[in-house]
Amino acid sequence: MEFLLENILNLIGFLVGLAIGVMSFIGFRNTGSPTLFRLTIAFFSISLGFFVIWVGYMAEDLVIKSGNIEKWIQTLGIAIQTVGYFFIAFSHSIKSFSPKSRYFRSIGIFPLFLISSVQLEHIFRSISFILLAYGAIETMLSYFDNRKKGTISVAIGLALLALGEFLGWYSFLFPESILYYVSMIIKIAGLIALFIPVSKIPLTKIKFDEGLE
Amino acid sequence: MAEYRTHMKIIGDILVTTRDDLQDENGASVTYLIRKANISHSRISRILKTLVSQGLLEQVDLKGSNKYKISQSGREFLQAYYTFTNFADSFGLSI
């Protein structure tokens, strides 16, 4: 059951990350926007992170068959995803701390890090949680400004991913409980919510950069 | 408080003015664009030079004074600009 859910989660994560990454890249090639460049790095990293874990699980399932995936593969995949979450949070921090921004002086307290000292994986999970929570809060604030449905969908997606990361990290305390399954299902829901607004972009109307054709 | 505009947003504003809000059929003058886009002369001069060199704007020379009109590439850029502005908006970001 864990293998199945992990495979579904990682495959959806890989595909959703790739789709949003490609869309961001097309946007960057067409407009030269640095924001879209950062989103490209973010979502390609997220996609690659899920892909690494998925390959790890598939290799375990089809080749190694030891019954337990190598921990370092999972840690590597989560670390790569964390880089992606960092770039989403970084884009928001640039927007929030840009000159004349009305948020410039309103954010005085940085979230505190709660780091498990036991394993590297849990350090990455806790960092991912903080980055995702920050991204979700900033996206929610943007929704209050622009009132677009797509923005609330992304905010919910990031919040669900943050909750999923938190539960995944917390399940470390209760290894055999249902928490880890719940965290995976929540993350799948988060990825789907993230993809909803991107699926509505009218891609056929965009003139593709010549280099992409 | 005035809204902070990114460099991309200023470019979008200039292109929209040269597409939808021309003074006459010859195009928009620099003074007119400064007023519409609300930026300094030195900054708009640099941006206009870049936009003309990239083929997004056409420069019309009229007895020593330049006027600017949007080109076909500029229109296509604006279409992509709108699409990806919506895309970035979904993430709570500005392009």
Side-chain angles (χ1 to χ4, degrees):
Chain A
M1 180 69 174
E2 185 183 329
F3 259 54
L4 179 69
L5 265 180
E6 275 283 2
N7 275 325
I8 293 171
L9 168 66
N10 292 317
L11 200 56
I12 291 177
F14 165 62
L15 293 173
V16 168
L18 189 66
I20 302 176
V22 167
M23 182 65 88
S24 305
F25 182 66
I26 291 170
F28 168 66
R29 290 293 296 267
N30 276 273
T31 63
S33 161
T35 303
L36 294 174
F37 180 65
R38 284 189 289 272
L39 281 180
T40 304
I41 297 174
F43 283 101
F44 278 154
S45 293
I46 291 168
S47 179
L48 181 65
F50 279 111
F51 181 72
V52 165
I53 301 174
W54 181 64
V55 166
Y57 271 86
M58 291 307 285
E60 161 56 33
D61 203 21
L62 301 173
V63 184
I64 305 168
K65 295 181 179 174
S66 68
N68 198 8
I69 187 174
E70 289 285 342
K71 268 292 174 195
W72 68 266
I73 293 179
Q74 181 117 351
T75 304
L76 177 67
I78 290 170
I80 297 170
Q81 286 175 40
T82 305
V83 172
Y85 300 141
F86 167 77
F87 274 97
I88 293 176
F90 182 49
S91 295
H92 279 291
S93 69
I94 285 177
K95 182 188 166 195
S96 297
F97 288 92
S98 60
K100 297 182 185 176
S101 167
R102 62 197 165 111
Y103 301 133
F104 188 50
R105 290 185 177 83
S106 66
I107 301 171
I109 302 168
F110 284 93
L112 297 172
F113 280 72
L114 289 170
I115 298 174
S116 161
S117 59
V118 183
Q119 286 182 2
L120 212 53
E121 178 189 333
H122 300 292
I123 294 175
F124 289 130
R125 279 192 190 280
S126 54
I127 294 172
S128 290
F129 165 71
I130 290 168
L131 294 172
L132 283 165
Y134 175 68
I137 290 166
E138 284 289 343
T139 311
M140 188 67 80
L141 288 172
S142 296
Y143 168 72
F144 292 132
D145 279 343
N146 67 25
R147 297 281 170 186
K148 288 187 175 174
K149 286 179 185 171
T151 311
I152 193 73
S153 181
V154 170
I156 289 169
L158 291 175
L160 287 173
L161 282 175
L163 181 62
E165 282 299 342
F166 178 76
L167 290 178
W169 174 72
Y170 198 65
S171 68
F172 169 70
L173 300 174
F174 307 98
E176 300 301 320
S177 72
I178 199 172
L179 270 180
Y180 195 63
Y181 299 111
V182 174
S183 85
M184 283 190 283
I185 291 167
I186 288 174
K187 283 169 81 174
I188 290 171
L191 287 165
I192 291 169
L194 215 56
F195 185 68
I196 289 171
V198 179
S199 67
K200 292 176 180 168
I201 299 284
L203 197 61
T204 50
K205 289 181 182 173
I206 299 167
K207 181 183 184 294
F208 284 85
D209 189 282
E210 284 175 9
L212 293 173
E213 288 175 334
Chain B
M1 182 184 275
E3 183 196 357
Y4 175 72
R5 291 185 302 168
T6 60
H7 185 69
M8 195 63 65
K9 176 88 170 66
I10 292 169
I11 288 174
D13 288 347
I14 292 171
L15 289 175
V16 168
T17 303
T18 57
R19 186 190 64 180
D20 301 337
D21 203 6
L22 290 177
Q23 284 168 297
D24 53 55
E25 70 274 10
N26 292 321
S29 67
V30 177
T31 314
Y32 184 73
L33 287 173
I34 287 172
R35 188 152 45 85
K36 287 285 180 181
N38 193 27
I39 55 172
S40 68
H41 185 274
S42 59
R43 192 167 182 195
I44 204 169
S45 297
R46 283 199 303 273
I47 294 174
L48 288 175
K49 198 174 172 185
T50 306
L51 294 179
V52 170
S53 68
Q54 296 289 318
L56 301 181
L57 281 183
E58 289 169 3
Q59 186 174 307
V60 184
D61 195 1
L62 288 171
K63 297 172 187 171
S65 72
N66 291 324
K67 289 203 167 185
Y68 297 89
K69 277 198 299 191
I70 194 166
S71 66
Q72 185 54 37
S73 297
R75 288 175 193 278
E76 286 162 0
F77 176 89
L78 260 187
Q79 192 180 20
Y81 169 80
Y82 285 134
T83 302
F84 289 105
T85 295
N86 280 332
F87 175 75
D89 272 352
S90 300
F91 290 88
L93 298 167
S94 309
I95 70 166

